[in-house]
Amino acid sequence: MEYSDAVLETTPERATKFLMGIGAVAAIRTLMAGAGMTDDDIIEGRALLLDVLAAPRKTGASADTDDARAQRAATGELDQWDEPNFARYAAALRRRFPEVHAHVFKDLAPSTGTASVQGVATFLARLDALENGAAPDRAGMKQSDKKAVAFLATRGLEKAERKRLQGLVDVALGPTSPLPAPTELPEAAHRREALVKLRAWFDEWATTARAVIKKRGYLIRLGLANRKVRQRKPAATPPSPGKPGATPSSPAAPGEVTGETDFE
C-alpha cells in the first residue's frame, strides 16, 4: 500500500501511544489477545518502531554550491574595498592629476552589495583604458594618463593588485554552477522503508482494536479516538416580569466534560 510522507511521519508517535496503551491497561491487552494479538506481534511492533527511531531523518539537499559561496565572498570583499580605496585614490589623483581624476571618478562612488561590484569593475576598466591609451576623448593626454596609472601603482594599486581585484569582479559576476540534482540518500530510503513497515503493522492492529474494543476510554488511551468537548449553551434570556418562563437548566460544574468522542 502507498502512504504519503505526511501519513508516515505521524506513525512513530501513534505507534508509540498504541503500544504503551496495550501495555498499560490489562483489559486492553486481554481484548487484543482475544483478537489474535500475541506477544510476538507486540515484539514485532516494538522492533519496527525502534528501527524507525534509529534511522536518520531525511535531510534536504544543500541549497548552495562552492561557486555561489565564492561569489558571495568576492562581492563582500569588493564591498569592503571600494569605500576606503576610492577615497584615497581619488584624493591622490585630485591633487596631482585633476583631469585624470575627473575622468576616472565621473559618476563613480563607493556603494554596497552588487552595486559595489559594478563600481570596482568600472574603476578597473577606466584605469586599463588609460594605461593602454584607449580612453575615449583623451587622445592628446596619453602620456599624462600613463603617468597617473603608474603613480597609483606606487600607492598600492600595482598591476598585481588590479589583477586580483579583476579576479574578484569576475567571480562576483559569475556564472555559478547549478545545484546538483537531488539524490535519495541510502539512509533516507531505509527510514522510509522502515516507516512503511511500521505503518502496515499499525494499520492492521489499529483496525483490529477498533473492531473489538468498544469502550471509548480505551480507544482514547490507544490514540485511536479523541475526546470532543461540547461548547456550553448560552444562558437563557430571563422571562419578562409577569410572564411564566422555562425553568433554567443547571450549568455544568467548572471543568466538567460533557463531550463525545471522534474516532480517527
Side-chain angles (χ1 to χ4, degrees), residues 100-231:
V100 174
H101 169 271
H103 174 76
V104 171
F105 286 98
K106 182 180 180 181
D107 301 324
L108 185 62
S111 189
T112 59
T114 55
S116 66
V117 178
Q118 179 180 344
V120 175
T122 301
F123 177 69
L124 295 174
R126 289 176 179 175
L127 291 183
D128 286 345
L130 292 176
E131 185 178 48
N132 298 325
D137 303 324
R138 297 186 64 81
M141 303 177 185
K142 292 183 179 180
Q143 289 298 112
S144 176
D145 290 347
K146 289 184 180 181
K147 286 182 181 180
V149 175
F151 168 72
L152 292 179
T154 67
R155 296 294 180 91
L157 200 59
E158 65 277 3
K159 283 190 175 183
E161 174 63 3
R162 286 158 53 196
K163 184 177 181 181
R164 184 187 75 83
L165 292 170
Q166 186 62 53
L168 291 174
V169 169
D170 292 342
V171 171
L173 294 177
T176 60
S177 302
L179 288 172
T183 57
E184 186 77 4
L185 299 177
E187 294 84 356
H190 169 73
R191 185 173 189 277
R192 195 176 200 285
E193 181 181 355
L195 279 169
V196 169
K197 291 180 180 179
L198 176 62
R199 186 72 196 196
W201 178 91
F202 175 79
D203 281 351
E204 176 186 353
W205 292 112
T207 302
T208 302
R210 290 190 183 99
V212 301
I213 297 175
K214 304 304 179 183
K215 189 173 181 178
R216 290 177 176 175
Y218 290 168
L219 292 170
I220 293 170
R221 185 64 181 265
L222 293 171
L224 301 180
N226 294 320
R227 189 175 297 280
K228 183 177 181 182
V229 180
R230 287 179 179 172
Q231 298 291 330

Side-chain angles (χ1 to χ4, degrees), residues 17-102:
K17 189 170 185 177
F18 187 76
L19 285 167
M20 291 180 68
I22 292 173
V25 182
I28 294 178
R29 178 72 182 91
T30 299
L31 290 169
M32 294 301 292
M37 175 176 267
T38 65
D39 289 348
D40 288 341
D41 294 315
I42 295 175
I43 292 171
E44 179 190 15
R46 184 179 65 192
L48 292 172
L49 175 61
L50 292 176
D51 191 23
V52 169
L53 297 178
R57 285 181 175 271
K58 179 180 179 181
T59 56
S62 172
D64 212 349
T65 63
D66 290 341
D67 288 346
R69 285 188 288 270
Q71 184 182 53
R72 291 196 300 274
T75 301
E77 187 169 349
L78 293 171
D79 193 348
Q80 295 297 315
W81 186 92
D82 67 345
E83 185 169 359
N85 289 286
F86 277 8
R88 70 189 189 99
Y89 293 138
L93 290 177
R94 187 184 297 111
R95 179 186 174 196
R96 292 171 173 81
F97 301 92
E99 291 184 357
V100 174
H101 169 271

